[in-house]
DNA sequence: TACCGACTAGACGGTATAGTTAAGTCTGAA
DNA sequence: TTCAGACTTAACTATACCGTCTAGTCGGTA
């Protein structure tokens, strides 16, 4: 029962914090949304701020798991890169994750800890994972990456280009991202393909 | 005098809205920050929401002006691209603009109008301006861009890669962006240089 | 001087807020 | 049946909020 109620609290809190932001969310609304009494809520979390941090940490944990999920054993470099790209695109298209990011950004000036937690759960491991893949593909001769960190940033930003901003700003827009991952991989290969140094820049 | 007080109101409102977000900002704090009485405030703006929209529109106007500022008459393609890239990097490093973006993102679920206004003042004209430059350079033979919109998104995101997220999330981090613009231009030229089709992809 | 428009400080009403507490209900095990 | 623990409802405190309003100040003009 305890775990069940705990989950109810988190569920309601997540929804209300995502919808109204940290400051805009009221604890009464959170309790109502989770169908839980305020007394129970306060028996689990001593304050609204702690509850918010709990939600952010829990959601960031799920996010980090999602990012670090094992890759398939695809051997073909292009397939591997497309799997990575698709995973990034899917994250940006996922409502829960984008609302989490929106909420963290909105709260990060007043509660810098929140921004830090999200950064360590999202962008940082993503960059590291992508970096490892790019380095491996470079060792195997499929890519020619000198600075894995910079190349990872480039790859990730090619993946989210044109998608992230409208999503963050809640701009209603018929985003058509079917070919997005493929295009990002194509761009990356042009940027860092193993024969890119042959060119006269 | 009227204009002066009006500016004071806006100044205080901007600071408090940026610091605490729309919901977190109180009208008393805004009046105090602007050294203005509440009565005066309400004589200019009928409500907190209208005041917020006023601040966002005013700041977005400045942002759009900054983006659409005429480019220098640089003729050399690389110099032109570096000027563009540097302008984008500078925007991401500007505290006022990043706080504006943070605030808009934070408020955009509850007040979608705000996200829309920012999008039309920032990302949209930026993409259009960059697109025009890329198309011109393509006509002149310096680039080979087929889809200006996609190429603009790529260029812009190469410019902000590794900078935007830490800034939005208020992550304290020794960002060293001296060579950032140059690297973005180099990457763009590898991606869309006029000889890129010679490669075997 | 008298007046006027724009400002200020501060209090107000009515509501909402975060967090606490008291009294009672439900469930399941001994 | 009894009992303990977890839960709920509902009221409560004390503060903060938005927006309004009153009483009064100030600088310039006729």
């Amino acid at each position: 029962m305890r775990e069940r109620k705990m989950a109810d609290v988190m569920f309601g809190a997540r929804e209300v914090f995502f919808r109204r932001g940290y400051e805009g969310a009221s604890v009464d609304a959170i309790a109502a949304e989770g169908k839980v009494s305020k007394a129970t809520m306060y028996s689990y979390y001593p304050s609204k701020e702690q509850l918010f941090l709990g939600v952010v940490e829990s959601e960031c944990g799920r996010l980090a798991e999602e990012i670090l999920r094992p890759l398939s054993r695809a051997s073909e470099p292009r397939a591997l890169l497309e799997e990575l790209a698709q995973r990034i695109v899917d994250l940006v298209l996922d409502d829960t994750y984008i609302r989490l990011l929106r909420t963290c950004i909105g709260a990060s000036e007043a509660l810098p800890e929140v921004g830090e937690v999200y950064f360590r759960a999202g962008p940082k491991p993503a960059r590291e994972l992508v970096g490892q893949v790019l380095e491996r593909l470079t060792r195997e001769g499929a890519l020619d990456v000198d600075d894995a960190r910079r190349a990872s940033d480039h790859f990730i930003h090619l993946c989210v280009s044109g998608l992230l901003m409208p999503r963050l700003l809640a701009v209603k827009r018929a985003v058509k991202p079917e070919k997005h991952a493929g295009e990002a991989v194509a761009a990356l290969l042009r940027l860092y393909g193993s024969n890119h140094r042959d060119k006269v820049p």
Side-chain angles (χ1 to χ4, degrees), chain A residues 11 16-17 26 38 43 53 66 69 76 80 90 94 110 113 118-119 125 169 173 184 186 200:
Chain A
F11 177 83
V16 177
F17 279 132
S26 85
K38 270 211 292 183
S43 81
L53 292 175
E66 180 73 16
R69 215 177 55 205
E76 217 269 306
L80 188 59
D90 286 346
D94 183 304
E113 187 179 350
Y118 184 94
F119 194 78
L169 290 165
R173 194 160 300 264
V200 282

Side-chain angles (χ1 to χ4, degrees), chain A residues 101-123:
Chain A
L101 176 52
R102 223 183 264 144
T103 307
C104 288
I105 289 173
S108 67
E109 175 137 356
L111 299 173
E113 187 179 350
V114 166
E116 201 62 64
V117 167
Y118 184 94
F119 194 78
R120 277 200 300 268

Side-chain angles (χ1 to χ4, degrees), chain A residues 128-141:
Chain A
E128 284 162 9
L129 174 70
V130 172
Q132 285 167 17
V133 171
L134 297 187
E135 279 177 340
R136 206 185 82 209
L137 291 178
T138 296
R139 280 197 304 275
E140 293 170 0

Side-chain angles (χ1 to χ4, degrees), chain A residues 82-195:
Chain A
E82 289 209 1
E83 187 181 349
L84 265 182
Q86 192 60 52
R87 189 174 292 191
I88 294 166
V89 169
D90 286 346
L91 278 179
V92 175
L93 297 178
D94 183 304
D95 273 330
T96 301
Y97 289 125
I98 216 70
R99 292 171 92 204
L100 170 64
L101 176 52
R102 223 183 264 144
T103 307
C104 288
I105 289 173
S108 67
E109 175 137 356
L111 299 173
E113 187 179 350
V114 166
E116 201 62 64
V117 167
Y118 184 94
F119 194 78
R120 277 200 300 268
K124 200 155 172 282
R127 174 199 272 162
E128 284 162 9
L129 174 70
V130 172
Q132 285 167 17
V133 171
L134 297 187
E135 279 177 340
R136 206 185 82 209
L137 291 178
T138 296
R139 280 197 304 275
E140 293 170 0
L143 291 180
D144 181 11
V145 165
D146 52 344
D147 182 342
R149 187 180 166 116
R150 193 189 56 199
S152 304
D153 283 341
H154 280 176
F155 186 36
I156 291 169
H157 282 80
L158 289 171
C159 289
V160 305
S161 72
L163 299 180
L164 183 60
M165 269 303 158
R167 294 280 293 154
L168 277 181
L169 290 165
V171 172
K172 287 176 292 297
R173 194 160 300 264
V175 177
K176 300 224 169 62
E178 302 88 14
K179 304 189 296 181
H180 212 85
E183 288 178 357
V185 171
L188 182 82
L189 290 174
R190 259 182 284 150
L191 262 175
Y192 296 107
S194 56
N195 48 358

